[in-house]
Amino acid sequence: GLFLLPVSLSLEVSVGKATTIYAVNGTEILLPCTFSSCFGFEDLRFWWSYNSSDTFRTLIEGIVKNDKSDPKLKLKDDDRITLVGTTKEKRNNISILLRDLEFSDSGKYTCRVRNPKEKDFEHQATIILQVVDKLEKVDNTVTLIILSVVGGVIGLLVFILLLKKFIAFILKKTREKKKECLVSSSGNDNTENGLPGSKAEEKPPTKV
């Protein structure tokens, strides 16, 4: 556990949740990358590399002096690339903007970071870019139908549950009312009405 603790607190690099992003030919795309470290950083090195089936090259390379300094570029291989990184508000952002996209730009883009405070261990994260003619619209009809059916079933179950509770409440009140009537009826004095079961007035015996 003590051996794994430094690893769990070490530098982390992220390019977001999406492993593959799509962009239209001729447009621009932001390739995100952020980093964080519980140990802090100083003279942190970072670079972006591009890798396809037949090509590998370093796109940019830079350094971040400390958490109060913005990233500075030392090398840029392509004029279409702009570093949009910042360390303000502890964002530690070293993302790049790639303009005037071409189909040949499709491939793997890897963001690499090396922190001297962590014995120069290298950390990286990769995102895949696919340059296309046009973005296809996703047909959400089936998804909407499923959500509507599920929502309707849940709504029906809730209605049935509420109706059941309402009926139980009405029946309970009805029973209580009948019980009150029976108690009230058995307590009445029926001697004056001559009803069966009533007590007759006893007359004193006639004296001879």
Side-chain angles (χ1 to χ4, degrees):
L2 293 176
F3 176 76
L4 293 175
L5 183 60
V7 177
S8 64
L9 296 176
S10 64
L11 187 71
E12 290 186 1
V13 181
S14 172
V15 290
K17 295 181 179 180
T19 56
T20 302
I21 56 176
Y22 296 86
V24 177
N25 182 39
T27 62
E28 61 183 30
I29 188 69
L30 179 69
L31 301 178
C33 182
T34 57
F35 66 89
S36 61
S37 174
C38 293
F39 294 119
F41 59 91
E42 188 174 345
D43 294 329
L44 179 141
R45 286 186 57 207
F46 69 91
W47 61 99
W48 277 88
S49 62
Y50 166 77
N51 185 17
S52 65
S53 58
D54 56 355
T55 305
F56 177 85
R57 72 179 194 270
T58 300
L59 300 175
I60 65 167
E61 186 177 341
I63 189 171
V64 185
K65 189 71 178 175
N66 51 50
D67 59 1
K68 296 180 181 178
S69 304
D70 280 337
K72 300 294 182 182
L73 281 182
K74 296 175 63 179
L75 169 70
K76 185 166 74 168
D77 180 64
D78 194 328
D79 290 335
R80 297 179 301 148
I81 297 175
T82 302
L83 175 66
V84 292
T86 179
T87 56
K88 293 178 181 178
E89 299 178 2
K90 296 183 178 180
R91 292 180 181 176
N92 297 337
N93 188 351
I94 48 175
S95 305
I96 58 174
L97 182 69
L98 181 58
R99 301 185 305 274
D100 301 326
L101 288 173
E102 302 170 357
F103 292 112
S104 59
D105 291 324
S106 296
K108 294 181 180 179
Y109 290 79
T110 302
C111 177
R112 292 179 166 88
V113 178
R114 184 177 293 171
N115 185 13
K117 278 194 171 185
E118 299 179 26
K119 299 181 180 180
D120 281 332
F121 285 137
E122 182 181 311
H123 303 267
Q124 64 183 41
T126 299
I127 191 168
I128 299 173
L129 172 64
Q130 292 286 349
V131 180
V132 296
D133 278 324
K134 61 179 180 179
L135 295 176
E136 296 182 0
K137 293 183 179 180
V138 179
D139 188 2
N140 294 322
T141 305
V142 176
T143 303
L144 292 174
I145 292 174
I146 293 174
L147 291 176
S148 299
V149 172
V150 172
V153 170
I154 293 174
L156 181 61
L157 291 175
V158 171
F159 174 75
I160 292 173
L161 184 61
L162 292 175
L163 182 62
K164 184 178 178 181
K165 287 187 176 182
F166 178 73
I167 293 174
F169 175 77
I170 296 296
L171 292 175
K172 182 180 178 182
K173 287 294 182 182
T174 304
R175 283 195 223 95
E176 289 177 354
K177 203 166 185 181
K178 286 183 178 180
K179 189 174 180 181
E180 289 176 2
C181 290
L182 290 173
V183 172
S184 174
S185 175
S186 62
N188 290 336
D189 186 2
N190 296 324
T191 54
E192 295 181 357
N193 298 328
L195 296 175
S198 62
K199 294 183 180 180
E201 183 180 353
E202 294 184 0
K203 295 182 180 180
T206 305
K207 294 183 180 180
V208 179

